[in-house]
Amino acid sequence: MTGRPVDRAGFAELFHGFADSAFRLETLPVYREPHERDAVRRFLAGEPPDDAWMVGYLDLLRELRRTGRTLRRVRVLDDPPTDYQRFVQDLAARRNVPAGEELRVLDRDAAAGLGVRGGGDFWLFDGATAAVMRFDGGAFAGAEIITAPDLVAGYRALRDVTWNAAREFTTTR
C-alpha cells in the first residue's frame, strides 16, 4: 500500500477541504451504488425522475461554484453507451452541469490509447491529493489517499491528458 485507506465518510470529507479544484476520472461502464438503484430503475422504465437523493451533491456543486472552486470530471463512455452511462449522461444534463460540474467525455477506445483502464477511477484534489477509488461489485468500497508528490504527479498527468483529449459534454438530449 502506498497511501492511507479511508472509508466512505473519510472520503466525503475531502470534498469540503479542498481549496481550488477537484477532478474525477470515471472509467467503469456500470456503477452499482445502492442510493442510485431506484433512480436507474426509473430512468430505464421511462418514469419521471426523482432526484431527491442528489440534493446534497447538487448543493455542494453550487457552493463550490459560489466560492470559486471547480469540480471537473472526465467520463469514459462505451460505444454504444451502457444503460448506466445513458442514465448518468441524462442526470448530468438535467442536474450536475447546471449546478456547476464541468464534464467532458472520452470514448473508451481513445481512453485505452492513453493508457486508461477500467477500474482506474480516482479523484484529484488541488493537484496534490489523489483518492484512488476501490469498488466491490461496482459499488464504492473506499479509497486510498495518496499525497506522495512523485505518485501524485502521475495522477496530475493522467488528469491533464484525459481532460485535453476528451470532448465537451453537451446538455442537449
Side-chain angles (χ1 to χ4, degrees):
M1 180 181 295
T2 57
R4 173 179 56 89
V6 294
D7 60 11
R8 187 176 293 272
F11 179 72
E13 290 175 17
L14 295 168
F15 292 89
H16 300 283
F18 71 91
D20 296 307
S21 65
F23 170 85
R24 163 86 187 267
L25 179 61
E26 185 175 293
T27 67
L28 294 178
V30 177
Y31 295 87
R32 291 182 168 70
E33 295 298 333
H35 62 272
E36 293 179 334
R37 192 171 293 135
D38 187 59
V40 172
R41 182 200 60 75
R42 292 175 70 91
F43 173 79
L44 294 176
E47 297 173 9
D50 177 1
D51 299 331
W53 61 279
M54 291 219 32
V55 168
Y57 184 68
L58 297 172
D59 287 346
L60 172 67
L61 288 174
R62 287 187 283 272
E63 173 66 13
L64 295 176
R65 183 170 54 187
R66 187 186 69 71
T67 59
R69 294 176 284 171
T70 61
L71 190 144
R72 292 182 172 163
R73 179 186 313 256
V74 168
R75 178 172 290 139
V76 175
L77 292 179
D78 291 281
D79 184 21
T82 65
D83 286 345
Y84 181 84
Q85 290 170 338
R86 288 186 314 105
F87 161 73
V88 292
Q89 295 295 86
D90 176 74
L91 189 62
R94 289 185 302 101
R95 299 293 187 191
N96 297 43
V97 171
E101 184 173 306
E102 297 178 37
L103 175 63
R104 291 188 179 181
V105 293
L106 184 62
D107 296 326
R108 187 160 306 279
D109 289 344
L114 297 172
V116 174
R117 60 180 175 75
D121 291 35
F122 68 90
W123 280 92
L124 183 63
F125 298 93
D126 293 330
T129 300
V132 181
M133 302 174 76
R134 296 188 320 271
F135 298 92
D136 182 7
F140 179 71
E144 181 180 354
I145 307 303
I146 298 172
T147 56
D150 57 328
L151 298 176
V152 172
Y155 292 100
R156 274 196 312 273
L158 197 50
R159 173 201 60 198
D160 295 344
V161 73
T162 57
W163 185 258
N164 290 329
R167 67 185 183 278
E168 186 110 7
F169 173 74
T170 60
T171 57
T172 57
R173 293 180 276 152

